[in-house]
Amino acid sequence: MQIKPRRRVRSAVTVVALAAVALVGTAGTALATRSDDRATQVVGSNATTCEGAKVPGKLIPTSDLTFTGGTQDDKYLDITAVAKGVTVTAIVVKGGHGYNVYVPGEKGLPENPPWTQLRSPLNKGDQQAQISHWFVCGEKKAPTSEPTKPSEPTKTTTAKPPTTAPTSSDKPSQTSEAPSTTAPAPVVDGNGGNGGGLADTGFDNAWLLWAGGLLVLAGAGVLVLLRVRRGKTD
């Protein structure tokens, strides 16, 4: 039985069509796994830790990163800086049905930030999926502080006396004045030495007053006695 030429042509067209469909599907799969040439894509899996993503390092807190985007409403993530002492070993961006792993210094990704337009793999519709979550792995070294130098003691300087000899103008005057021979005036007390208001002349006459008084009293006594005797004789 011979096969007609028309059947041969139809069979050849069918084979070509099937091959074209296979090639298109393969190209679509390759495109899905190569949404970003800088990343290694893992499809059909999820990771939330460095160990789960099979990358070295420990989780770096976002407080040690300067970034924009990366929320569930975003499709891209930009990391512009990292804190001092932080070394990033991998960046994992999850979205859709897989995640991308970025390694600084590999596949065209710069070794140091900024790292821009980081994304998740394409979804099953070959569209860029929104980011569900992301994390950074690496190491953080504590900053080494230099030892403080002890403060030097404060040096105190004492002022030295001048060594220059005094000039003739600084010498004390050798002229001496003759001592005064004028006797100091006697200080007169307000009451005087004899209790009166007169000046004290050095002669106390108070006893004379007492003596005169006694004589007056004695004379009066004598007169009284004489009168008494005369009265008796009469």
Side-chain angles (χ1 to χ4, degrees):
M1 181 176 179
Q2 296 180 351
I3 301 176
K4 294 182 180 181
R6 291 182 178 178
R7 291 182 178 178
R8 291 179 178 179
V9 172
R10 290 178 180 176
S11 298
V13 171
T14 302
V15 171
V16 171
L18 292 174
V21 171
L23 288 174
V24 171
T26 303
T29 304
L31 182 62
T33 57
R34 295 182 62 185
S35 63
D36 192 346
D37 293 336
R38 303 172 298 170
T40 299
Q41 298 184 357
V42 179
V43 180
S45 182
N46 186 21
T48 57
T49 62
C50 301
E51 184 178 1
K54 298 179 181 180
V55 294
K58 298 181 180 180
L59 289 175
I60 301 297
T62 56
S63 58
D64 289 333
L65 306 172
T66 302
F67 63 93
T68 57
T71 67
Q72 294 183 351
D73 296 329
D74 298 317
K75 295 181 179 180
Y76 300 98
L77 167 68
D78 295 336
I79 299 177
T80 56
V82 297
K84 187 176 181 180
V86 173
T87 301
V88 176
T89 56
I91 305 168
V92 179
V93 183
K94 172 69 173 67
H97 61 293
Y99 57 89
N100 280 341
V101 179
Y102 295 88
V103 178
E106 296 183 7
K107 294 186 177 183
L109 188 71
E111 186 175 357
N112 299 312
W115 301 305
T116 59
Q117 297 291 302
L118 307 180
R119 67 200 76 171
S120 63
L122 300 177
N123 56 25
K124 294 182 180 180
D126 292 339
Q127 300 295 324
Q128 181 59 55
Q130 291 180 327
I131 297 175
S132 63
H133 64 272
W134 61 276
F135 56 90
V136 175
C137 301
E139 298 177 354
K140 182 179 180 180
K141 295 181 179 179
T144 57
S145 58
E146 297 181 358
T148 57
K149 296 180 180 180
S151 59
E152 297 181 357
T154 304
K155 296 180 179 180
T156 57
T157 57
T158 57
K160 296 181 179 180
T163 57
T164 58
T167 61
S168 59
S169 60
D170 296 334
K171 295 181 179 180
S173 177
Q174 297 180 354
T175 59
S176 60
E177 296 180 358
S180 177
T181 57
T182 305
V187 178
V188 179
D189 194 358
N191 295 325
N194 53 6
L198 300 177
D200 190 0
T201 58
F203 179 73
D204 191 1
N205 55 2
W207 64 275
L208 294 175
L209 297 176
W210 285 102
L214 291 176
L215 291 174
V216 171
L217 291 176
V222 172
L223 292 175
V224 171
L225 289 175
L226 291 176
R227 288 182 179 181
V228 169
R229 288 180 179 179
R230 286 181 182 179
K232 288 182 178 181
T233 56
D234 292 339

